[in-house]
Amino acid sequence: GIKDNILKESGGTDKSLRERSSIYDMKELSCPVLILHGANDERISVEQARLLDQKLNELGKAHETVIVSEGSHFITDMTKTQYTLPFLEKYLIRDD
């Protein structure tokens, strides 16, 4: 249903679909990004995370990509503890 909703909301034109995607604006990115994606996500293809990772690598942007091997679409307490909090501590919490 998500694909149908996106096509309905956007009209399905190349221009409207491009406007919905952040990958085309990554050149302007000024903060680190955590890409956290479940390998078994039933809603969004893990390939989307890999494409964004590739784009950020090409642009030399600070980011971390984690594909959770047993993960689905939802962030769990484990993923928050193991990946999100350390990322935030690394990039947002300063001791200076």
Side-chain angles (χ1 to χ4, degrees):
I2 292 175
K3 183 178 180 179
D4 291 337
N5 283 341
I6 289 171
L7 292 173
K8 183 179 175 183
E9 292 171 8
S10 70
T13 67
D14 287 344
K15 181 179 184 245
S16 65
L17 292 172
R18 184 180 172 105
E19 288 172 351
R20 292 178 67 95
S21 177
S22 63
I23 200 166
Y24 299 106
D25 296 322
M26 291 294 110
K27 238 185 234 186
E28 308 304 319
L29 187 67
S30 61
C31 64
V33 173
L34 173 62
I35 303 169
L36 187 57
H37 202 102
N40 301 316
D41 191 325
E42 67 282 358
R43 297 183 183 185
I44 308 297
S45 167
V46 71
E47 187 60 24
Q48 296 295 311
R50 292 184 177 121
L51 288 170
L52 184 54
D53 175 69
Q54 179 182 355
K55 182 68 169 183
L56 293 172
N57 280 327
E58 289 171 6
L59 295 170
K61 299 293 184 172
H63 72 288
E64 293 179 21
T65 300
V66 178
I67 307 298
V68 181
S69 61
E70 299 300 317
S72 64
H73 184 73
F74 300 98
I75 303 298
T76 65
D77 286 339
M78 181 279 298
T79 55
K80 285 184 226 175
T81 303
Q82 193 169 351
Y83 305 111
T84 306
L85 295 176
F87 178 85
L88 294 174
E89 288 174 358
K90 179 178 180 179
Y91 289 104
L92 296 179
I93 299 173
R94 305 264 190 232
D95 288 334
D96 46 315

